[in-house]
């Protein structure tokens, strides 16, 4: 089970974390991964970014933006899902 966490703290919220979550939900459903990926929010991932939304896949922290969230999912989350 892949643990996919999106920061929903103030900084990430202002940078579009809600949209990232919506895109991730759509991608999980589209790829029928509801039983393989646990999507959740967190109020802080501890590595605030000046421009991006923080996303943790298992224990590794990444950055993305809403406009690139679908590509991020395909390149990083699906790879972790194996």
């Amino acid at each position: 089970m892949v643990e996919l966490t999106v920061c929903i703290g103030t900084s990430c919220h202002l940078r579009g974390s809600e949209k990232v979550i919506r895109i991730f939900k759509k991608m999980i459903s589209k790829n029928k991964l509801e039983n393989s990926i646990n999507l959740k929010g967190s109020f802080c991932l501890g590595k605030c970014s000046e421009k991006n939304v923080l996303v943790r896949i298992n224990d590794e922290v990444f950055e993305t933006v809403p406009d690139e969230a679908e590509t991020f999912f395909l390149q990083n989350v699906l790879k972790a899902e194996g």
Side-chain angles (χ1 to χ4, degrees):
M1 174 77 66
V2 173
E3 293 292 325
L4 178 59
T5 307
V6 179
C7 180
I8 56 171
T10 303
S11 293
C12 287
H13 173 75
L14 293 172
R15 291 176 179 84
S17 62
E18 284 186 48
K19 187 173 183 183
V20 170
I21 290 171
R22 282 195 305 272
I23 292 166
F24 285 175
K25 283 182 179 180
K26 179 185 84 172
M27 295 301 292
I28 289 169
S29 178
K30 179 180 178 180
N31 291 282
K32 298 177 177 35
L33 297 169
E34 294 87 348
N35 295 320
S36 301
I37 297 176
N38 182 28
L39 176 62
K40 57 187 176 180
S42 175
F43 280 104
C44 186
L45 296 180
K47 296 183 178 185
C48 291
S49 169
E50 291 183 20
K51 299 179 183 178
N52 302 316
V53 175
L54 293 180
V55 176
R56 184 172 57 219
I57 302 171
N58 296 323
D59 294 324
E60 191 172 355
V61 177
F62 299 86
E63 298 180 17
T64 192
V65 293
D67 291 344
E68 298 172 6
E70 189 169 325
T71 300
F72 175 88
F73 187 92
L74 294 171
Q75 292 177 348
N76 296 286
V77 180
L78 287 183
K79 184 171 87 173
E81 194 272 329

